[in-house]
């Protein structure tokens, strides 16, 4: 499963150097941030380029509406434009970029309608994923989540912590939930939805008050899992996603109001 939280925050993505495939023996030729990932060899060239582009989008290097130029990326990676074009198609499938005829690829705009549509799907599937766990599986999952949820609690209560640190842990927790479902196809769909909602989730965790609310939801879900009550746990994860959607919508509405002033 894609480990998006590591490349968003640590920028440790596998980055190709030539048209040939990556190899661990060539890691010393790569930029510093790519060395660690160069030996993984788990992704195709377009997938690695897609990770790099997604990292740039998530970190703000590309703003909504910006054009992503194939020729610049092809030069950066020392590849033909074919793998870059395929990488952009991968990102388009996750609604991260849009490829326009004769205009190239552009970062998608954040929209209130998309928030409602995508978060609704993610909430429903995530709740269903938790509800299908057995009581024994729920207890095991609760134990697995414990350390990260403690970290969330601490970050939420620390006035000096920032949103990025909290987001790191919360996204890792979400990935752990996906990994626990035992249904690979469902996990893939939820991973795609996580990528589609990542920029909105960042908005949804922008304030200290929201991070405290999020931490309470995670803790409530973990307690329900520990008790083997998967129905309550499912309700908690649905509330977690719904609250994030609500705040993302609020932030986008405030932006629109500010632009119209």
């Amino acid at each position: 499963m894609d480990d998006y939280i590591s490349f968003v925050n640590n920028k440790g993505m596998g980055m190709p150097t030539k048209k040939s495939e990556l190899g661990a023996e060539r890691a010393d030729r790569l930029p510093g941030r790519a060395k660690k990932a160069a030996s993984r060899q788990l992704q195709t060239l377009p997938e690695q380029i897609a990770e790099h582009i997604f990292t740039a989008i998530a970190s703000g290097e590309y703003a909504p509406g910006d054009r992503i130029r194939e020729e610049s990326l092809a030069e950066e990676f020392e590849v033909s434009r074919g793998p870059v074009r395929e990488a952009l198609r991968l990102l388009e499938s996750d609604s991260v970029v849009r490829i326009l005829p004769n205009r190239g690829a552009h970062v998608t705009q954040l929209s209130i309608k998309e928030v409602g549509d995508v978060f609704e799907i993610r909430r429903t599937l995530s709740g269903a994923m938790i509800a299908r766990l057995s009581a024994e599986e729920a207890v095991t999952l609760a134990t697995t989540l414990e350390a990260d949820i403690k970290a969330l609690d601490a970050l939420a209560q620390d006035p000096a912590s920032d949103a990025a640190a909290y987001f790191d842990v919360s996204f890792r927790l979400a990935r752990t939930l996906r990994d626990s479902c035992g249904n690979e196809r469902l996990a893939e769909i939820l991973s795609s939805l996580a990528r589609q909602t990542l920029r909105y989730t960042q908005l949804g965790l922008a304030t200290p008050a929201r991070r405290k609310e999020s931490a309470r939801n995670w803790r409530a879900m973990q307690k329900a899992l520990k008790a083997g009550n998967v129905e309550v746990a499912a309700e908690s994860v649905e509330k977690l996603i719904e609250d994030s959607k609500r705040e993302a919508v609020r932030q986008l509405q405030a932006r629109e109001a500010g632009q119209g002033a």
Side-chain angles (χ1 to χ4, degrees), residues 8-10 14 18 20 29 53 60 79 100 117 163 167 179 185 227 238:
V8 167
N9 295 286
N10 300 325
K18 302 280 184 191
S20 59
R29 302 184 189 180
I53 298 169
V79 298
L100 304 174
D117 291 348
F167 180 77
D179 289 345
R185 182 57 181 153
E238 289 176 3

Side-chain angles (χ1 to χ4, degrees), residues 43 65 86 160 215 257:
Q43 295 176 306
E86 178 61 25

Side-chain angles (χ1 to χ4, degrees), residues 10 13 19 39 42 58 73 81 85 88 90-91 98 107 112 116 133 141 150 162 185 190 195 199 210 218 252:
N10 300 325
M13 75 290 288
K19 294 182 182 179
S39 62
L42 298 177
L73 288 167
R81 291 172 66 172
R85 195 170 295 120
L88 293 171
L90 290 172
L91 292 173
R98 179 169 297 164
V107 180
I112 292 174
L133 295 173
L141 179 57
K150 282 184 178 179
D162 61 9
R185 182 57 181 153
L190 287 169
R195 292 190 290 274
R199 289 179 291 165
R210 264 295 299 133
W218 277 110
L252 290 172

Side-chain angles (χ1 to χ4, degrees), residues 229-244:
N229 193 334
V230 294
E231 290 80 11
V232 172
E235 291 173 1
S236 296
V237 79
E238 289 176 3
K239 184 177 186 304
L240 181 76
I241 295 169
E242 183 65 24
D243 288 347
S244 185

Side-chain angles (χ1 to χ4, degrees), residues 32-57:
R33 67 180 182 176
K35 289 180 181 178
K36 183 182 296 184
S39 62
R40 289 185 303 176
Q41 302 184 62
L42 298 177
Q43 295 176 306
T44 66
L45 200 60
E47 287 171 341
Q48 293 177 61
I49 296 171
E51 278 200 1
H52 171 80
I53 298 169
F54 188 87
T55 300
I57 293 170

